[in-house]
Amino acid sequence: LVLTGRRGPDAPGDAELAAGLRGLGADVRVEACDVADRAAIADLLAGIGGPPLTAIFHAAGALDDALVTELTPGRLEAPFRPKVDGSVHLHELAPPGLSAFVLFTSAVGVFGQAGQGGYAAANAFQDALAAARRAAGLPGLALAWGTWAGAAGMASRLAGAAVRRTAASGLVPLDAAENLALLDRALTVDRPVVVPVRLDLPRIRARAAEGEIPPAFTVLAGGGPRRPAAPRTGDDAARLAALPAPEREALLLEQVRAHVAAVLGHDGPAAVDPARGLVDLGLDSLSAIELRNRIGFATGLRLPATLVFDHPTAAAIAAHLAAALSGPPAADTVESEIARLEEAFAGLAADDRRRRGLAARLRALAARWEDPGEPDDAPDSLGTATAAELFDILDEELAPQDD
C-alpha cells in the first residue's frame, strides 16, 4: 500500500496511520509526492516495484472559495491543480491492468454551492473523467462526497459560515465510519459516478418553499420539476405598505432578524441583535447575497447586492425596507423638509461663504419644480436627483465644517 501526499511521512498523523496499517498486516510505504506534478507521479509509479499496481484512489483536493465574479486564473489554480491536473496525470500514466481507478470528488460538482464555482468545476471534471474511462472500457468511479464531519475531510478547514451554508443546503454531514461504509457499498455499484450523501428532505422542502433550491433537488422537494416560486410582489407587500409606519418597521425588523438567523444557522430571531453589525455576527460576502435573496423574495423588492454593506445592521435593513415599501414621500413630508431647510438657513451667518452657492442651487430647483419642461442651468446630477437625494445633498452642504 503506497500512501502519498505533498508532505509524505512528515504530514501530521501519517506515522501513526502507517503503524496501524502495518499492525493489520499491510506492507505500507508513505511517499512525498505532489499529484499535480507529472514528473513526480511518473517517478513514483516507476519506483513502486514488487507486486504490480492494481488500484488507484485519488483523494487530493484544495479549496479557494469565491463568487464566480471574483474567480481569476490564480484563484482557479488552487482547486484545479490537485483535481484536474492530478487526475489527468494518473489517468495518462497509470499502468494497464488496474482493477479500480477511484476519484474522490464532491457533491458540490453535482448540486452546486454558492461561492464554490471553481471547486465545483474541478470536481465535475473528475466526474466526467470517470465516465470517459468507463466508456473506453477502463475502470473508473467518481464518488461525489458530501461533508465529512469532524476532523476528517476538507470541511474541517471551512469557516463557520461555509459550514452553516452546507448544512442549510440539505446535505447532512456524515462521520468517517459512515462514509467508509458508503465507500464499501459504492465500490459494488456499476456506475461511473455515485453520490454517497444523506439528504435532509424536510430542510430541502423548506428551502423550496423559500424559492431557492438546486435544480437537482426539485423532484425531491415534491411534485416534480418546477420553476421557483415568484417573489411575493402582490398582497404581502401591499399589506406591509398599508400598515402604519411604526408597525410596518417593527414587523419588517422581526422578519429581517428571522432571515439573518436562518442564514447564520441560529434557532430564531431572538439570537440576532438588531443593532449589531451583521458582519460582526458572522455574515460573509456569500451569506450576504443569500440574505439579500431571501429578503427580496419575501418582500418582492429588487434589492442591491450591496444591501448588507449599505445597511449593516438588521435595524438599518428594516428601516430601508420600510422606506422602500412606503412609496414616494407625501406632500406634507416634503413641506416639513422644506420647513427644516428654512430653519437651517436661518442659522447660517449672512457672510457664510456657502450661503450664495446654496441659494443658487435652491433657485434652480424651484425653477425646475415650477416648470418641469423648462431647461435650467442646474447640473445634470441635480436635475435628475430625487427629493431624498436633494435633501441628502443639502444636509451635507449644511453640515458643520472644520475649516
Side-chain angles (χ1 to χ4, degrees):
L1 178 62
V2 180
L3 304 176
T4 70
R6 284 178 296 177
R7 288 180 287 180
D10 294 331
D14 272 19
E16 293 81 1
L17 172 62
L21 291 170
R22 292 187 184 106
L24 296 173
D27 180 6
V28 181
R29 288 167 50 191
V30 182
E31 301 281 353
C33 181
D34 182 354
V35 72
D37 184 335
R38 185 182 181 89
I41 289 292
D43 290 343
L44 175 73
L45 294 174
I48 286 179
L53 184 65
T54 59
I56 291 177
F57 282 72
H58 175 293
L63 295 170
D64 190 354
D65 290 355
L67 295 172
V68 171
T69 52
E70 298 171 352
L71 289 178
T72 62
R75 300 204 71 169
L76 286 173
E77 183 178 7
F80 270 50
R81 284 190 78 254
K83 291 285 186 180
V84 177
D85 296 351
S87 56
V88 167
H89 297 334
L90 290 171
H91 163 64
E92 294 178 345
L93 297 174
L98 293 180
S99 63
F101 186 94
V102 181
L103 303 170
F104 278 29
T105 72
S106 171
V108 168
V110 178
F111 302 127
Q113 175 69 44
Q116 292 192 313
Y119 187 63
N123 284 281
F125 174 88
Q126 290 187 298
D127 295 343
L129 176 61
R133 284 183 58 90
R134 288 288 292 272
L138 299 170
L141 173 63
L143 302 177
W145 296 104
T147 301
W148 289 55
M154 297 172 63
S156 62
R157 300 191 290 273
L158 292 176
V163 173
R164 288 190 292 267
R165 274 195 299 275
T166 301
S169 71
L171 296 179
V172 179
L174 300 175
D175 62 30
E178 292 173 306
N179 279 318
L180 290 175
L182 288 175
L183 171 61
D184 288 338
R185 294 184 60 185
L187 292 172
T188 68
V189 176
D190 188 23
R191 290 178 180 272
V193 181
V194 177
V195 187
V197 300
R198 180 178 296 160
L199 301 176
D200 183 346
L201 293 179
R203 183 177 290 275
I204 289 172
R205 290 172 183 139
R207 285 180 64 84
E210 296 165 359
E212 284 194 28
I213 57 171
F217 285 167
T218 53
V219 175
L220 296 173
R226 63 183 185 274
R227 295 180 180 178
R232 302 171 187 174
T233 56
D235 295 341
D236 286 2
R239 281 195 294 272
L240 281 168
L243 289 173
E247 293 181 30
R248 179 170 60 246
E249 188 161 339
L251 179 58
L252 285 168
L253 177 58
E254 190 67 11
Q255 291 181 355
V256 170
R257 293 173 71 193
H259 289 308
V260 173
V263 169
L264 293 179
H266 297 315
D267 292 335
V272 178
D273 183 344
R276 189 176 176 190
L278 296 174
V279 173
D280 294 336
L281 290 174
L283 217 67
D284 60 14
S285 59
L286 300 177
S287 47
I289 294 295
E290 181 183 353
L291 179 63
R292 185 279 305 264
N293 291 344
R294 291 175 66 102
I295 294 174
F297 177 79
T299 61
L301 295 171
R302 292 179 61 87
L303 301 171
T306 56
L307 174 71
V308 168
F309 306 102
D310 295 337
H311 310 281
T313 66
I317 291 177
H320 172 70
L321 298 176
L325 289 168
S326 65
D332 57 349
T333 301
V334 176
E335 289 177 3
S336 66
E337 290 291 345
I338 291 175
R340 182 171 68 87
L341 291 174
E342 287 177 338
E343 183 178 350
F345 255 85
L348 285 176
D351 60 348
D352 193 301
R353 60 182 175 81
R354 296 169 295 167
R355 191 182 184 97
R356 182 178 300 175
L358 289 171
R361 294 173 70 176
L362 285 174
R363 283 195 296 271
L365 177 59
R368 191 170 185 83
W369 278 348
E370 289 172 359
D371 187 356
E374 182 74 18
D376 56 55
D377 295 330
D380 289 343
S381 59
L382 180 61
T384 59
T386 65
E389 289 169 339
L390 288 168
F391 295 141
D392 288 343
I393 291 170
L394 289 169
D395 281 343
E396 181 179 347
E397 292 284 353
L398 293 170
Q401 303 291 313
D402 293 333
D403 55 350

